[in-house]
Every structure is written in structure tokens, then in C-alpha cells.
Amino acid sequence: MKAGGPDGIPVEELDEAQARDELARLASAIDEADRAYHTEDAPRISDAAYDALKARNAAIEARFPDLKRPDSPSKRIGGVVAEGFAKVAHARRMLSLANAFEAGEVAEFVAGIRRFLGLPAEAALAFTAEPKIDGLSLSLRYEAGRLVQAATRGDGAVGENVTANARTISDIPDRIENAPTLLEVRGEVYMHHDDFAALNARQAERGGRTFANPRNAAAGSLRQLDSAITRSRPLRFFAYGWGALSEPLAATQMVAVERLAGFGFPTNPLMQRCESLEAMLACWAAIEQRRATLGYDIDGVVYKLDDLALQERLGMRSTTPRWALAHKFPAETAWTRLEAIDIQVGRTGALSPVARLGPVTVGGVVVANATLHNEDYIAGRDSRGAPIRDGKDIRAGDWVKIYRAGDVIPKVADVDLGRRPSGAEPYAFPEACPECGSPAIREPGDSVRRCTGGLICPAQAVERLKHFVSRAAFDIEGLGAKQVEAFWHDGWITEPADIFTLQSRYGSGLQQLKNREGWGEKSAANLFAAIEERRRIPLQRLIFALGIRHVGEAAAGLLARQYGTWDAFEAAMTRAEPGSAEWEELLGINGVGEVMATSLTAAFANDAERALIDRLIAQLDVEPAVQAAGDSPVAGKTVVFTGTLEKMTRAEAKARAEALGARVAGSVSAKTDLLVAGPGAGSKAKKAAELGIETIDEDGWLELVGGG
DNA sequence: GTGCCTCGAGTTCA
DNA sequence: CTCGAGGCAC
């Protein structure tokens, strides 16, 4: 067996670093043994040796509970993770990229970087340009040169552990030489056109299912629970970036990627360095020209700022880095007939038109529905009244050109007026809710028409319940959108509180639930257990789950942190009205404005709504929110910058401070904790002195937050 | 008032 | 993933 087997250093003598290394090795050794046992029917180690590995893993975890890995073997049962793959937290987030479709947007991207860094327009900036592979991204963790973990992107923060499958891909080395002790390589798994065609032919021959396109084939192959199947699939890999590192790879993007190639990873041969905007656009055009002959799918070109120190200074927006951009190729389109326009009613009452289409293949996927957004979109206008599609409106029976925005969401790009059936009438947008008949009103300046039925509208009621059980809200296992709809239809659940009384009303002996289609004793018991588990709910989730208009996940987090407990939150929302101290406190939260405040107080002032909330709360045990215990010295502090900053721009300083958990304000007030004053600071510095607020200079700030 | 940037709410298909 | 709108800095 491998190093770190049961015969290593006694557990009592391990230090933390050794323990961490060994847990990683044990996880992959056990993983490998599991896969061999369960999927290849050919155990590679004896049962006794396997048990010893598990026992040692448990002993180390007991001594160092903090080091317990998210993919810990102790969480697995019989080698197969319940519910598919184990979740793994990425040591550094896997990013997505901002998109551009026009040259002008690329120019704006470059100009924006100059602005952010405070560089003059003529200052040279170099970028890398490389094809954007249409596959799935993968993060490979190497410790001491050995592949210990492979994870999919997931939501960027948490992905799925696909280590056993990644090991079967020949482009991915198991070991690398002369590498940093920790190296996370990031890249794209994809499938060649030839391999895709051969795979589909083979699948068809065996009567198996064929894949719609190489991307789906690659995704389906990588996410096989049985890695023997993955092994039989011709997957390939290009490395283009990195995550956590024990030491920097290089000073530039280009050289860093060359180093990855040096470690033995395939890197894209078309990647090159561009010294100017013109060179970037030329590179884009050149790659597009070669697109059809590459042998694999690409959907654009990725630009990255070459200088890694500058990348660091630019930092991140909420989900995308400021230093990279995906410049997409024009989307594939297809013509089809629009059979009908239907209206869906959302949780807030929004009436959304949907196009029912004659099925048509766009970009390798059969599309039968497309969003039509709103009234104006159908009429051929944007929100400002300017014409779109040359002002052509959309009518039932029209021939329409479909594309998939971002290669995902089907949309109507154009209408063929020449083929419009005679007698086709302009679409009359309904002025009453198709579900409940209440008037549907469009507020001045709003682009959507909303059903005014509120709680009496069945569509809104169901959508609100779906929202309530959604992932960022109560997230009850076994109670998804479909189940909620079925329960609602039978009158078992009509409002959130009903979920928590379901067992007492229908669960006795489980008879009634068992009689429902698709429910057995086991699944019913599981559902009730999952519901019980969620009686205790973090305040943030609860606030989000209420589904108050304008209050999403982020706002719910802000509110939970501000008020801490449900009682404090509820009291404040009940008492807040313009002019009151509670109202001021609410508006004082950075990110809450009048619209949101009005929406919140209105919800708590509405009797029916309020009764619904009260019935729900009676069923729950709300977990108070804790102030984020950031370890930065400025976390939670309000900072003001004034005067001239010499080593960073204003935007940069602000982004940095916020990344460390500080709130950046524009003017000094009693709420200010720290003033950073550069040369030329005037009235703000004076005011800070009067208020006795701590004031430091730019160097003091850099020292405080650790370097530049 | 204008111009970011971020968030909310809507959307499809496998 | 995208659009529109809310919130905030300038």
C-alpha cells in the first residue's frame, strides 16, 4: 500500500501538517479501494488492510477534528456516496467569466482596467488570448506532486469529487515532477469530434443512449458513478489556470501556463500574448476562422491580463474576476414556427409570456420553448421604447429565428414577415391573470404586468411554496417543486406552516402518504425526518424563504446580520415607518434602500401575510445569525478614504477593503471607524479629528491590511 | 442626474 | 444566463 498506510507514524506523534497530508492520502487510497471493490469487482487490497486504512483515518480525524476533509471517507457508506458524488469545498473559488459579444465591449473591458488601475490611456497592457473550450471545468489538486483530488466547478465554492474518474483521463498526469508542494491545476475536460462520433456510433450499436453534443457527452462521462465507464470514454483535458498554490508559478499568465505545460499538462496551442486591443481582436478573428477545423468545440476567446501582480490588484467582482473576459462567437440560430404564446404567473405575480415552438435543434439541443420576457419584447420594443428586431412584433403562427443566449436560454432573435400567415393578429397581452382572473396591472415605469390577486391567486401561492422549499431557503430533502405542487393540488399544503404539520395531519401510520403515488414507507419516513431537521433554521434562510419582494438571498443575509434574532427583526419590521428610529436603522444598512424597506414593512403590515408568517414561526426554532467573525482587522468596520492615494486607485482601495469585510463610506460620520487620509485631505480629516476618529495614512493602511 | 455594480426574478433543457 | 431595477458613489 501507499505511504501513509496503517504502518506510518503513530497517530499521537503526528503534527498538524503531517496529519493533513495523511488524511489526503488516506482519502484517495480508500477512494481507490472503494472504486476497485465496487466498480471493478476486483478488490486490490485485503479486507483487513482496507479496515486498517479506515481505522487510521478515523483515529486521525478524532485527534484533529478541524482537519476533517469535506470528502472524508468516514462520511461515506460502502464506498458509494449517498446521493451521487461527495461535495468538496474549493480551496480557492472557481470563477466564471464576464462575457462580451462585440468588439466595443472588449474595448470597454480594456479601458475599464486602465481606469481601475489609474493608468493613462496610452499605457501598454498585455493580455493573453486563448480559445474558450466548450467542455466542463475541473480542478485538480496535487500534493507533493501527486494527484489527490479532482473536483467539478459546482457553484464555484463547492464542487463534486470526481477524483476516481479524473484518474482515468490520460491527459491528466497522476504524478508530476518538480512541482510546488501544493498545486491546484484548473482546466477544461472536453471530447474530440471524432471521438464523440465514434462513441455515439458505439452507443447506438449497443442500443445505449446517444449524446446530443460533445459537451454533454463529456459531462455525462465525467459524472459516471462507475469510473470504469469513464475509463472507456475518450475524454481530454486542457489546463489553463490554477487555484491554490504553495508558491507562485510565475509573474505572468503566459509563463505560468507554460509552466503547467512543463509539468506535463496539455495546454492550448493557440494561446498567445497580445500587446494591444487590436491584437486581441485579430486573435479572436483568427481563432474563429480556425474554429471549424480544430476538431473540438469552442465558443469564444478568453482574454486575461498577462501581468499576475496586476490581476491581484484588480481582484474580483462578486462572481467574476475583473482581469478576464470571455469574448463569445455569435450564437448558432435556427428557424421554426411559433405555435402559440402562453402566459406563466410567477411568485410575485409577474405575467411572463412563453413561446411554444415547433421543436427545432439549436446548438445541438432540441428547443420547444423560448422566453418572450414581457409585453414590450413581444411588441418589438425594449424597456425604453426603442425598437428591437427592427421593431417587428411577434405573433402566433410566425416563423421565428431562435438562438440560445449564453448557449443556454432560447430566445427569439428575428421574425420572417414574408411568411407571416394572413390574418395573424398582433398579440393582445392579457389584462387579467389567466390563473385567478384578478386584474393584471402594469405600474408606470415597470416592464412587467403583475397579477393583483396576491395570496388568493393559486399560481402565486404555489410559486411561493416552491420558493419556500428552494435551495437557498428551507431546502427540504424530498420536498422539491414537484412534490410541493402535488401536495398543494390535493390541499395538503396550502401555506408554509402546513409543511411542518404535515406529519401530524397525514403521517399517522404513514398510511395516507403511502397511498400516494410514488411514496413508500421509507420515503415517507425520510421526508418527515428531513422536515423535522429543518424546524431549526438559520435566520437568513428564513428571511429569504418568506419571499418578500426585492428581498433575495443577499439582502436576507444583510438583514439577518443586522438584527441577529427573529424577534429583533420582527419587532423592527413591525415598528419601522418613515421617520421612526427603526426606519433609519433599516435604511442605514448598506444595500437596503427605500424600495426594499417599503416592501418589507408592507409585508409585515398586511394582516393576511402577517398571520401566515406567525403560523409559520410557531412551528420553527430560528437560529440567530452571528456577526461574521472576519479575521481581518478591518472586518465589520466602516472606513472612509480621503485625499490622494498614491499606491492604489480609489476603486482599488474600496474593493480591497470590502473584500476584507469592511464597509466603505463616502463621508465621515459618527459611524465611521477609520479614516485613511492621503495628501490634500481637507474637511473630512478635520471632521474625523473633531469626532475623535482614528486616522491613518496610506502606508498605515497598507500595513494594516497586509501589503499592496 | 448619471453611471457603475450587484442583486432579484425570470427563464431552458439534460 | 439575462434583463431590469435598486442602491450608491460621484
Side-chain angles (χ1 to χ4, degrees):
Chain A
M1 208 51 227
K2 298 190 166 64
D7 304 325
I9 312 168
V11 173
E12 304 73 44
E13 289 171 34
L14 285 171
D15 66 30
E16 208 174 304
Q18 288 169 323
R20 183 179 314 222
D21 285 347
E22 198 166 339
L23 284 177
R25 280 195 298 270
L26 285 164
S28 68
I30 292 171
D31 190 47
E32 201 169 280
D34 280 335
R35 303 283 165 184
Y37 182 83
H38 289 277
T39 63
E40 297 167 22
D41 252 352
R44 291 190 190 150
I45 60 174
S46 70
D47 289 354
Y50 178 81
D51 288 345
L53 287 176
K54 292 274 264 201
R56 184 162 170 90
N57 185 74
I60 298 175
E61 282 180 354
R63 202 178 143 220
F64 299 101
D66 289 346
L67 297 183
K68 187 160 172 177
R69 300 165 59 85
D71 64 336
S72 165
S74 61
K75 292 186 186 165
R76 275 173 272 175
I77 308 143
V80 178
V81 180
E83 299 289 308
F85 296 96
K87 300 268 182 266
V88 270
H90 295 296
R92 283 184 58 187
R93 282 181 59 90
M94 287 184 81
L95 313 170
S96 51
L97 298 176
N99 290 322
F101 296 92
E102 321 255 342
E105 296 171 75
V106 181
E108 182 44 43
F109 163 70
V110 175
I113 287 177
R114 286 215 175 83
R115 264 204 307 279
F116 193 97
L117 295 171
L119 300 174
E122 62 279 4
L125 273 182
F127 290 82
T128 61
E130 65 193 301
K132 185 174 194 299
I133 314 297
D134 192 12
L136 26 352
S137 31
L138 190 67
S139 183
L140 305 168
R141 186 178 173 94
Y142 289 83
E143 290 173 8
R146 300 175 56 100
L147 175 63
V148 296
Q149 187 179 88
T152 61
R153 197 176 92 86
D155 64 1
V158 177
E160 287 180 325
N161 187 346
V162 292
T163 313
N165 292 344
R167 285 189 203 284
T168 70
I169 300 173
S170 57
D171 277 348
I172 297 177
D174 227 6
R175 271 168 205 264
I176 51 181
E177 303 294 335
N178 306 320
T181 49
L182 171 63
L183 170 63
E184 278 185 8
V185 176
R186 293 191 173 159
E188 200 84 354
V189 173
Y190 67 101
M191 197 178 280
H192 244 261
H193 291 157
D194 296 349
D195 293 334
F196 166 70
L199 171 64
N200 262 358
R202 216 164 71 213
Q203 294 283 106
E205 208 172 284
R206 288 187 203 158
R209 67 166 242 235
T210 56
F211 292 99
N213 54 51
R215 207 203 92 86
N216 285 358
S221 301
L222 188 68
R223 298 190 73 262
Q224 287 291 329
L225 286 171
D226 179 350
S227 58
I229 296 180
T230 309
R231 188 181 299 279
S232 73
R233 302 280 172 81
L235 294 174
R236 305 194 191 207
F237 181 78
F238 274 129
Y240 56 64
W242 55 91
L245 293 173
S246 53
E247 61 196 69
L249 285 174
T252 66
Q253 182 77 28
M254 196 73 203
V255 176
V257 170
E258 281 162 7
R259 284 205 65 198
L260 294 178
F263 294 139
F265 294 95
T267 56
N268 196 282
L270 298 183
M271 178 172 175
Q272 62 178 69
R273 194 162 175 274
C274 301
E275 309 269 353
S276 67
L277 174 62
E278 292 67 35
M280 292 159 74
L281 296 175
C283 188
W284 182 83
I287 290 175
E288 195 195 11
Q289 273 220 317
R290 299 189 54 172
R291 185 181 187 183
T293 58
L294 287 175
Y296 49 87
D297 283 345
I298 63 174
D299 58 356
V301 170
V302 176
Y303 307 120
K304 290 176 183 164
L305 188 61
D306 195 35
D307 185 320
L308 298 183
L310 294 183
Q311 284 188 7
E312 183 78 15
R313 278 178 62 190
L314 284 157
M316 299 273 297
R317 277 184 289 260
S318 67
T319 60
T320 61
R322 291 195 182 83
W323 41 264
L325 183 73
H327 185 185
K328 298 295 196 69
F329 296 137
E332 196 181 314
T333 61
W335 286 91
T336 187
R337 210 175 91 94
L338 188 152
E339 311 284 354
I341 296 175
D342 284 353
I343 298 286
Q344 294 177 355
V345 181
R347 134 178 101 81
T348 63
L351 267 47
S352 307
V354 183
R356 306 298 177 196
L357 307 169
V360 62
T361 303
V362 193
V365 173
V366 179
V367 167
N369 302 301
T371 176
L372 292 171
H373 289 298
N374 56 44
E375 220 166 329
D376 286 344
Y377 190 86
I378 295 176
R381 290 188 298 266
D382 70 9
S383 62
R384 269 157 269 141
I388 53 174
R389 299 185 304 269
D390 302 328
K392 293 179 217 171
D393 70 329
I394 298 171
R395 304 182 184 185
D398 272 340
W399 282 85
V400 290
K401 187 160 86 173
I402 304 294
Y403 73 105
R404 293 199 304 149
D407 282 332
V408 181
I409 312 290
K411 293 187 149 193
V412 176
D414 202 2
V415 177
D416 186 346
L417 294 182
R419 282 205 272 180
R420 171 168 286 175
S422 59
E425 293 288 324
Y427 180 69
F429 204 92
E431 293 182 0
C433 173
E435 301 284 339
C436 72
S438 304
I441 305 281
R442 189 171 170 188
E443 300 287 342
D446 208 348
S447 59
V448 298
R449 192 174 278 277
R450 288 177 203 280
C451 160
T452 54
L455 291 170
I456 68 148
C457 177
Q460 287 190 52
V462 175
E463 293 304 316
R464 285 178 59 138
L465 282 167
K466 287 185 189 167
H467 171 78
F468 187 86
V469 299
S470 67
R471 219 172 56 160
F474 272 66
D475 191 24
I476 296 168
E477 213 171 304
L479 195 62
K482 251 185 145 166
Q483 283 75 22
V484 165
E485 196 155 351
F487 282 125
W488 185 86
H489 188 262
D490 294 355
W492 288 22
I493 295 177
T494 58
E495 62 173 66
D498 292 343
I499 292 170
F500 296 95
T501 57
L502 191 62
Q503 183 166 21
S504 58
R505 288 179 294 131
Y506 295 97
S508 52
L510 308 176
Q511 283 312 320
Q512 299 202 51
L513 186 51
K514 261 168 61 181
N515 293 338
R516 290 182 73 99
E517 203 176 327
W519 289 92
E521 192 151 342
K522 187 88 196 268
S523 52
N526 284 347
L527 173 64
F528 292 139
I531 290 172
E532 285 312 305
E533 222 170 273
R534 280 301 190 193
R535 268 189 209 277
R536 187 165 165 79
I537 189 84
L539 180 58
Q540 171 176 353
R541 281 177 177 268
L542 170 62
I543 295 175
F544 174 66
L546 295 179
I548 294 164
R549 189 129 96 90
H550 300 122
V551 180
E553 216 180 326
L558 293 173
L559 292 163
R561 255 167 279 147
Q562 176 72 22
Y563 294 102
T565 65
W566 169 260
D567 288 345
F569 171 68
E570 189 242 57
M573 294 310 106
T574 308
R575 293 202 199 103
E577 54 181 14
S580 68
E582 284 84 1
W583 182 260
E584 290 308 316
E585 182 186 8
L586 188 53
L587 287 176
I589 300 172
N590 196 353
V592 177
E594 271 189 41
V595 173
M596 212 185 276
T598 307
S599 180
L600 278 160
T601 52
F604 279 78
N606 177 312
D607 288 340
E609 188 108 9
R610 185 52 188 265
L612 198 131
I613 293 173
D614 289 342
R615 285 194 292 274
L616 171 65
I617 296 302
Q619 297 293 329
L620 300 175
D621 171 18
V622 184
E623 206 172 300
V626 277
Q627 191 73 37
D631 43 9
S632 145
V634 296
K637 301 266 177 75
T638 298
V639 181
V640 175
F641 293 94
T642 187
T644 313
L645 300 174
E646 286 160 342
K647 296 185 177 145
M648 50 193 177
T649 65
R650 193 59 69 99
E652 202 179 343
K654 179 174 183 289
R656 185 81 195 275
E658 284 172 351
L660 293 168
R663 174 182 172 189
V664 178
S667 58
V668 174
S669 74
K671 282 196 268 180
T672 308
D673 296 302
L674 180 66
L675 180 74
V676 182
S683 62
K684 286 183 192 170
K686 209 169 132 196
K687 187 165 180 196
E690 283 165 15
L691 292 166
I693 290 164
E694 186 188 350
T695 301
I696 58 176
D697 63 10
E698 191 177 354
D699 286 331
W701 165 256
L702 289 173
E703 202 171 306
L704 188 64
V705 301

